[in-house]
Amino acid sequence: MSNKMWGGRFTERPDAIMEEINVSIDVDRHMYAQDIAASKAHAVMLAAQGIITANDAKNIAKGLDTILSEIGKGSFDFKRALEDIHMNVESRLADLIGPAAGRLHTARSRNDQVATDFRLFVRDTIDETDRALAAFQQALAQRALEHAATVMPGFTHLQTAQPVTFGHHLLAYVEMASRDRGRFADARQRLNESPLGAAALAGTSFPIDRAATAKALGFDRPMANSLDAVSDRDFVIETLSAAAICSVHLSRFAEEIVIWTSPLVGLIRLSDKFTTGSSIMPQKRNPDAAELVRAKTGRVIGALNALLIVMKGLPLAYQKDMQEDKLGAMEAFGALSLAIRAMTGMVLDMVPDEARMKLAAGEGYATATDLADWLVRTLKMPFRDAHHVTGRIVAKAASDGVALHELPLKAMQAIEPDITRDALSVLSVEASVKSRTSFGGTAPKNVAAQAKAWLKRLEKERKLG
Ligand code: ARG
């Protein structure tokens, strides 16, 4: 038998290979809830406009509710021969309510249907991602407050640079996550227009009310151009690019966790909850979750690239190529969701080795800049000269094999006679971080204030819901 949705023009069944390449039900079944919601809104509007009878609309709604619960329960029989979620639902509706089911597709096409469903799906994903990122920020800010004064080495070029606090480092990721949330919010705002009623590509001759279906589905307004409505996937691309940037942030943090937990570095420890052992080396404690967060970034960036490539050569309006938008995007969103939750778990789980952090913070003459700043402040030396003098003092300490604060005052005075005992007070790592009080700097009191401000802001957001 030919397909019952377009059997009029067709007499033969598709070839098996045709069916295999064409079918999308394994992927688009994940947006069944959105598909049914859009169909319900469409049916209500058709009845309100007098395009179908109130009785047919009532039966359609009832049938769609039955299908929603069947799919929810797992008792729905998805048929590959019916290609996609739209035709699976419509076909089941016909089994349930008879010929009235055939009226649901009046004044719409699968082209505006799929665009509507996927917008709703991506919108739901954005909302979930936002909630997950808020929880991630909450965990980071909480740990930052706890470690506002815990000194650790700050790095540039992965070389010990200047002491910072662990809290300050964690708050850096709160800021990144905040911009990520902003990007998702921007994407959400632009995607929140309804394609429904654009029909196949040209609109329809029926007196539909697109504003009504847009409103019923929580869209801000109907899309203004029917060709655009059915043929762009920029909303997916934009959301994937926000996801890609977000996953790059998570990946950098994951990489730091991998470095910090290495026995060579040993700045933090993860518990059994977020590590795995080795089947052969009994001593091993591997940061697999962090490694996988790092790796999943590849999927997200890959999905963004793949969809950009799918879209770049497509003329208006709908082309079947667009069916390939969903699998990669759904996998990417799933990977990102998992990555955010895994990072949140690790943030709550990690225990810094404070003694080692402090020791490492002072290694590599990390307070040399503090000495140079002292020379500028106290002796009114130009910074360039102070840099030079400090460089010579560091060289002396290095050749004597001692840390900067271990160098006798006399040795410093041999290089710069005006240095006084007061200079020694700036050489400890605690004094160093404490002095960094400039806005956005690492001073513990700045960090504690920032962490508290974030916790308050997140709490307020949560209350507003
Ligand atoms: N499964 C299709 C997709 O995801 C639905 C739209 C099909 N439209 C069409 N004219 N063949 O894109």
Side-chain angles (χ1 to χ4, degrees):
M1 187 196 74
S2 67
N3 187 305
K4 67 176 165 185
M5 299 293 160
W6 51 72
R9 173 80 169 75
F10 288 65
T11 49
E12 275 186 276
R13 265 195 65 92
D15 190 271
I17 195 71
M18 175 64 205
E19 191 171 295
E20 196 178 329
I21 196 169
N22 206 31
V23 68
S24 63
I25 188 63
D26 299 331
V27 175
D28 55 33
R29 59 189 285 175
H30 296 297
M31 48 186 207
Y32 73 91
Q34 291 82 1
D35 188 74
I36 289 171
S39 285
K40 285 178 75 172
H42 185 66
V44 167
M45 179 279 293
L46 289 177
Q49 296 299 105
I51 300 167
I52 64 173
T53 66
N55 195 44
D56 282 347
K58 202 181 82 203
N59 289 329
I60 288 171
K62 248 179 78 189
L64 289 170
D65 282 338
T66 304
I67 296 171
L68 184 67
S69 90
E70 285 175 353
I71 299 178
K73 283 197 309 248
S75 64
F76 188 90
D77 181 19
F78 288 102
K79 295 197 175 80
R80 298 177 67 78
L82 289 168
E83 221 182 292
D84 58 25
I85 185 66
H86 323 297
M87 295 202 287
N88 267 273
V89 169
E90 191 184 321
S91 166
R92 177 68 184 140
L93 189 63
D95 298 342
L96 290 169
I97 69 165
R103 301 193 184 278
L104 175 59
H105 214 53
T106 314
R108 105 179 159 178
S109 147
R110 281 188 298 154
N111 296 350
D112 59 339
Q113 213 183 339
V114 73
T116 304
D117 295 0
F118 205 31
R119 272 178 194 261
L120 292 172
F121 183 93
V122 173
R123 194 176 73 186
D124 289 344
T125 303
I126 289 175
D127 293 343
E128 278 163 38
T129 307
D130 186 68
R131 279 192 292 275
L133 282 172
F136 176 53
Q137 288 181 304
Q138 157 90 27
L140 285 163
Q142 198 178 305
R143 298 307 306 271
L145 186 57
E146 190 185 322
H147 291 286
T150 304
V151 180
M152 71 175 277
F155 302 95
T156 62
H157 313 266
L158 201 54
Q159 309 287 319
T160 310
Q162 290 174 352
V164 296
T165 73
F166 188 46
H168 195 51
H169 198 114
L170 297 178
L171 287 182
Y173 287 103
V174 176
E175 298 291 332
M176 291 178 235
S178 169
R179 291 192 297 277
D180 289 330
R181 293 179 67 191
R183 272 180 282 272
F184 281 114
D186 286 348
R188 188 192 199 284
Q189 202 191 334
R190 260 184 299 279
L191 81 64
N192 205 32
E193 293 187 344
S194 174
L196 196 57
L201 75 165
T204 173
S205 56
F206 290 97
I208 58 170
D209 182 352
R210 292 191 58 207
T213 47
K215 184 154 179 252
L217 294 168
F219 287 116
D220 296 328
R221 62 192 79 84
M223 292 180 77
N225 182 296
S226 63
L227 291 169
D228 175 45
V230 292
S231 70
D232 206 352
R233 294 294 181 267
D234 61 349
F235 64 98
V236 195
I237 293 173
E238 192 173 353
T239 306
L240 279 174
S241 80
I245 296 171
C246 177
S247 72
V248 166
H249 287 151
L250 298 178
S251 183
R252 295 184 70 185
F253 192 14
E255 168 67 4
E256 293 193 315
I257 292 176
V258 171
I259 293 172
W260 292 347
T261 53
S262 163
L264 285 174
V265 178
L267 294 184
I268 64 161
R269 189 171 187 280
L270 287 174
S271 79
D272 294 357
K273 288 193 211 157
F274 281 94
T275 46
T276 60
S278 154
S279 56
I280 173 168
M281 298 166 283
Q283 86 286 7
K284 287 300 285 290
R285 177 183 286 284
N286 299 325
D288 293 35
E291 294 166 78
L292 288 165
V293 166
R294 197 172 55 184
K296 286 190 187 294
T297 305
R299 276 191 202 234
V300 183
I301 297 170
L304 170 61
N305 279 329
L307 187 54
L308 285 167
I309 293 165
V310 165
M311 294 304 294
K312 69 177 271 297
L314 301 186
L316 304 188
Y318 179 85
Q319 315 292 335
K320 193 64 174 254
D321 311 49
M322 290 176 192
Q323 175 165 289
E324 288 289 314
D325 61 351
K326 288 171 218 71
L327 178 59
M330 286 178 181
E331 278 179 355
F333 297 143
L336 181 66
S337 157
L338 198 51
I340 298 170
R341 286 179 287 130
M343 291 308 287
T344 306
M346 281 185 277
V347 165
L348 293 172
D349 183 70
M350 59 171 72
V351 178
D353 182 337
E354 297 185 31
R356 190 163 167 93
M357 275 189 170
K358 186 179 156 180
L359 199 70
E363 271 166 20
Y365 310 101
T367 55
T369 317
D370 298 275
L371 179 57
D373 288 350
W374 185 90
L375 295 170
V376 169
R377 220 175 12 249
T378 317
L379 305 184
K380 308 291 175 223
M381 234 183 234
F383 184 78
R384 272 294 144 239
D385 299 343
H387 186 287
H388 187 76
V389 168
T390 308
R392 290 176 57 205
I393 293 173
V394 167
K396 170 72 178 147
S399 76
D400 291 2
V402 296
L404 217 42
H405 68 274
E406 290 164 350
L407 197 65
L409 182 58
K410 284 224 162 345
M412 291 197 194
Q413 285 168 338
I415 293 164
E416 171 47 61
D418 290 343
I419 292 183
T420 65
R421 183 156 301 280
D422 178 55
L424 304 181
S425 69
V426 303
L427 298 180
S428 77
V429 291
E430 286 89 352
S432 174
V433 294
K434 218 169 136 194
S435 72
R436 299 286 198 273
T437 51
S438 56
F439 181 76
T442 196
K445 79 173 198 315
N446 283 17
V447 174
Q450 287 280 353
K452 280 185 200 149
W454 268 114
L455 289 169
K456 214 167 126 191
R457 181 168 155 186
L458 292 164
E459 179 62 33
K460 204 166 128 195
E461 248 179 36
R462 220 183 6 241
K463 281 203 186 118
L464 289 173

